[in-house]
Structure formats: structure tokens, C-alpha cells
Amino acid sequence: MGQRLLLVDSDRSFLKEHQVSLEAAFDLEVAKSPEGVTTFLEMGDFAAVLICVEVADNKGYALCSTIRKQAALSGIKIALISAKATEEEYRRHQSLKGRADLYLHKPIAPSALVAALAPLVPGRSVDPDNPLGDLADTEMGDDWLDGLKASVAEPPPPPPTPSRPAPAAPAPTVPKSSRATQPPDTTRAHLLEEQVVALREELRLRGQQLQEAEDYLHQQIGATTLNLDEMSARDEMLAAAQKEANDAKEQAHILQLKLAGVEAASRGQDRDLAGLSDRLKQVEAELEAARAQSGEREQQAQTLQEQLQMRQEEITRLTVQVSGLRQQLDESTVQHEGERLELMNGLDQKDAELARMAHTLTEQREAYTALEREKQAAHGKLSEHRDRLKNLETLLQEVQEHLRRGSDLAKG
């Protein structure tokens, strides 16, 4: 089982409030984005990871699922913390295969957060000479440093005394120009050194304030023995001075703990510088390989540029051909339009001629019909004449028969 805790959160106020207490209780690492977290977990000796659901636009659930899917990370406990998730949302997530081992809500007190994570992560062993342990690679953050500088620049006013010691000289700082040109890890080491110097200076000032408060307390105690009439007022002033002295002692103790943590972090940075040097050599080798690849890609880009130039020339030639074809098409369109108009005019003339012929045909059909009617009437009259002729022939035959009979009678 691992021994370290990884916090994945980009909420600066949450880190400012809880990072010191988490570092005092556990061996803590901080990541402000989900990128590279799984690789970091595989390389480190981690027991658990605390993931903020809202990190990097609500990618906390996805990171939890990704960790659960990797067999190499099956032994790592996962805790989720959110400022927006509801209990119903957490219950739905608990029903999934990629569920977490612990679900927490923001805001949460630092002591409560440490107590909730204690079953998942082994606690830091306390060394009497180094209460905060080996805080290698600790990142206090710019907000913590600004707050520390503000507290050093504006210490609480000490009790009034007849005389004050001369103000201490400001702690030496590294110029910003030189800091900007140094590697990130060297800058972090200088930052930790500045924090150590600032903490020592603040501790010295607190010690002076404590000494002044004790001197003032002794003066007040001596004054109370000489003037009994002002005893009640002196008691209140003594109580205030005692309270200030206790506060100064407590702040001095806290500063000693912070100083021990920063010194341990500085020692861890020194140990890591050797490893970072090897890593720098490896990165330089990778940079050379990348430069070689860049040269090859530049050659490929030049070749592609030449091909692109050829394609552009071909496109220009085809564009000229297309322009010529379009001109021919326009001329053909004009010619075809004239021919179509002539054809339409011819069709109109043919239509007019067909109309005249149709009218003539209609008149001829009407004349044929009239002739047919006359023909039928003539056939009717001819039939009547034939009937009359037949009747006349019959009468003639009868007359001939009568004449023949008369002739026979005349002969007999």
C-alpha cells in the first residue's frame, strides 16, 4: 500500500485553507489539472487521491472513472469532493462501476477533512526535531506567500514600552529578472529560501514582541505593588498584556512549525535537483531528436510547397481553359438562341398554314356533306323513277297482252 496523498484541485481558496493542514497530516502532492494524473499515480507511491468534481470544467467524475479502469491503480483509494454536487448525484455515482471510496462536500473544516481522509491514507510520522516531516516538492502557492509577506510587513502592534528596538533590516530577496531566467525548479528552490528567510525574520520579530510584552508585564506588576488605588485598572491591563503574550507565543510556535516545513521542503528540493538534472539531459536528447524530426518535416513541407506551386499553376492553366470554354459556350448559346428564334418563327408560319388548311378542309368536308345529301336525294328520286318504270313496264306488258288477246280474238 502506498503512503502518499494526491490532491487534484485548482480552487486556490480551498488550497490556501487546507494545504498546510493536509501537509502536516499526510505526505501530500498537489495537481491542479487532470492531465497526467494517471501517469503520476503510476510513478509515485500513492495510497489515495482526493479529486475535486469541478476541476477543469467538471472533469472530476471522468478522472475517477479513468483511474478505476486501470488495473495498475486498483489499490489506490479515491475520494471525491464537490461544492455543487447533491446527495442524489453522489448516490447515482455510487451505483456505477467507477464509484469512489469517499464522498465529501465543500466547505469543510481542515480538521474534518484530515479526519475523513485518515482511514484512506497513512498519517505522517512525527519527528520531534522536524514536526512537519519531509515535505519534498511542497508548493505553498503564491497566495500563501503573499499572506506571509503581508503578515511580516504588518505585524500586530506590541504593547507600549518606553523604548523600541531599531527595526530589522528586510530579508534579502532574489531579483525578479534573474528569477525569470532560471528553470522552474530552481525558481521554486529560491522561493522556498525566501520563505525560510521571511519566516525566520518574522520569528525574530515575534520574539522581540514577546520580550517587549514580558517586560511590559513586569513593569505593570511592579507598578501595581506601588499603587493600590489603580489595582483594578492595572489588572485589566495585565490581563490584556498576558493575552498578547500568549498569542505571541502561539504565533511563534506556528511560525516554528512553518519554518520547519519550509526547511524540509528546501532539503527535498535539493535532493530532487540531481534527478532533475538527469531529466534535463533526457529532455535535451529528446529536444535534439525533435529538432531532427523538425528538419525532416521542414523538407517535407518544402516538397509539399513545391507540389502546391505545381497544383496552383495547373489550376491557373485549367482556369484559362475554363474561361475559353465558357466563351465558346456563350457564343454557342447566342447562335442556338438565334436558330431557336428562326425555328419558332417557322413553326408559327407552319401553324398559320396548317390553320388555313384545316379551315379549307372543313369547308371541303361541308361541301362533301352537301354533295352526299344531294347524292342521296338523287338516289331517292332515281329509285322513284325506277319504280315508275317498272310499273309502266308492267302496264305495257298488260297492254301488249290485251292487244295480243284482241288480235287473237280478231283472227278467230
Side-chain angles (χ1 to χ4, degrees):
M1 179 180 178
Q3 302 293 324
R4 307 169 71 188
L5 171 65
L6 177 62
L7 172 60
V8 184
D9 197 346
S10 58
D11 186 353
R12 301 183 68 179
S13 61
F14 179 81
L15 295 174
K16 181 178 179 181
E17 181 180 1
H18 295 82
Q19 186 170 355
V20 174
S21 59
L22 290 175
E23 288 171 344
F26 310 110
D27 189 356
L28 180 69
E29 292 287 347
V30 178
K32 295 184 179 180
S33 69
E35 298 179 359
V37 168
T38 55
T39 304
F40 192 54
L41 290 173
E42 292 174 354
M43 296 173 59
D45 185 22
F46 289 95
V49 55
L50 175 60
I51 304 172
C52 177
V53 174
E54 289 79 22
V55 69
D57 297 332
N58 299 316
K59 293 183 180 179
Y61 288 132
L63 178 60
C64 177
S65 177
T66 301
I67 295 173
R68 287 297 190 212
K69 290 178 181 179
Q70 297 193 16
L73 305 178
S74 60
I76 295 179
K77 303 295 183 181
I78 300 177
L80 291 178
I81 187 167
S82 173
K84 300 179 181 179
T86 61
E87 292 294 341
E88 179 63 25
E89 183 177 340
Y90 272 166
R91 281 195 294 271
R92 288 198 302 268
H93 191 263
Q94 285 177 335
S95 63
L96 303 176
K97 292 183 179 180
R99 59 182 174 272
D101 299 288
L102 178 64
Y103 294 86
L104 301 172
H105 292 275
K106 294 181 181 179
I108 184 173
S111 58
L113 180 60
V114 171
L117 295 174
L120 305 181
V121 188
R124 180 190 296 276
S125 59
V126 179
D127 185 358
D129 298 330
N130 188 9
L132 295 181
D134 186 10
L135 299 179
D137 295 334
T138 301
E139 295 182 0
M140 296 294 184
D142 295 336
D143 291 340
W144 182 88
L145 180 59
D146 294 339
L148 179 60
K149 290 180 179 179
S151 64
V152 173
E154 300 179 1
T161 56
S163 62
R164 291 181 180 271
T173 58
V174 179
K176 292 184 179 180
S177 60
S178 62
R179 187 184 308 169
T181 58
Q182 294 174 346
D185 296 298
T186 307
T187 303
R188 190 189 307 174
H190 283 290
L191 180 61
L192 290 174
E193 291 176 0
E194 292 178 8
Q195 294 174 1
V196 170
V197 174
L199 285 172
R200 287 176 176 171
E201 180 64 22
E202 185 175 358
L203 183 61
R204 187 181 64 79
L205 292 175
R206 297 294 183 184
Q208 291 178 359
Q209 294 172 8
L210 179 60
Q211 184 64 37
E212 292 173 359
E214 289 178 353
D215 294 340
Y216 177 74
L217 180 61
H218 289 304
Q219 291 175 7
Q220 294 298 325
I221 291 174
T224 54
T225 59
L226 297 176
N227 191 357
L228 297 176
D229 295 335
E230 299 177 357
M231 184 62 70
S232 59
R234 301 292 181 137
D235 289 340
E236 294 178 359
M237 296 175 66
L238 287 173
Q242 185 66 37
K243 184 177 182 301
E244 291 179 356
N246 293 333
D247 292 342
K249 289 180 179 179
E250 183 179 355
Q251 291 178 1
H253 179 67
I254 293 174
L255 290 174
Q256 287 177 352
L257 293 178
K258 290 182 178 179
L259 178 60
V262 173
E263 288 177 348
S266 179
R267 290 194 298 271
Q269 290 289 337
D270 293 337
R271 286 194 302 269
D272 288 345
L273 284 177
L276 289 174
S277 178
D278 296 337
R279 177 58 181 168
L280 180 60
K281 293 179 180 179
Q282 182 180 357
V283 170
E284 288 177 351
E286 293 177 355
L287 180 60
E288 290 296 329
R291 286 175 179 173
Q293 293 180 359
S294 177
E296 294 178 357
R297 290 180 180 177
E298 288 179 357
Q299 293 179 356
Q300 294 177 358
Q302 187 175 0
T303 304
L304 292 176
Q305 185 69 25
E306 294 176 356
Q307 294 179 357
L308 179 61
Q309 184 68 27
M310 294 174 61
R311 295 291 175 83
Q312 288 178 349
E313 293 176 356
E314 184 177 358
I315 289 173
T316 303
R317 181 175 56 80
L318 292 175
T319 303
V320 173
Q321 292 181 358
V322 169
S323 300
L325 292 174
R326 284 181 178 175
Q327 185 177 0
Q328 293 178 3
L329 178 62
D330 294 338
E331 294 175 356
S332 299
T333 303
V334 173
Q335 182 180 358
H336 291 165
E337 186 67 21
E339 294 176 354
R340 187 181 67 83
L341 292 176
E342 293 178 358
L343 181 60
M344 291 297 294
N345 292 330
L347 289 176
D348 291 339
Q349 294 176 1
K350 293 294 183 181
D351 290 338
E353 186 177 355
L354 286 174
R356 289 193 300 272
M357 293 178 67
H359 181 68
T360 304
L361 180 61
T362 302
E363 292 178 350
Q364 291 179 355
R365 284 179 178 175
E366 291 177 355
Y368 177 77
T369 303
L371 290 174
E372 284 290 329
R373 287 196 297 269
E374 291 177 359
K375 180 180 178 181
Q376 290 178 0
H379 278 295
K381 292 179 179 180
L382 182 59
S383 297
E384 290 177 359
H385 291 148
R386 286 176 180 176
D387 293 336
R388 289 178 181 179
L389 287 174
K390 287 180 179 179
N391 292 329
L392 289 173
E393 286 179 356
T394 303
L395 291 174
L396 181 59
Q397 288 177 1
E398 289 177 355
V399 169
Q400 289 176 357
E401 182 66 24
H402 285 98
L403 289 175
R404 184 179 59 78
R405 287 179 182 177
S407 176
D408 291 339
L409 289 176
K411 289 178 177 182

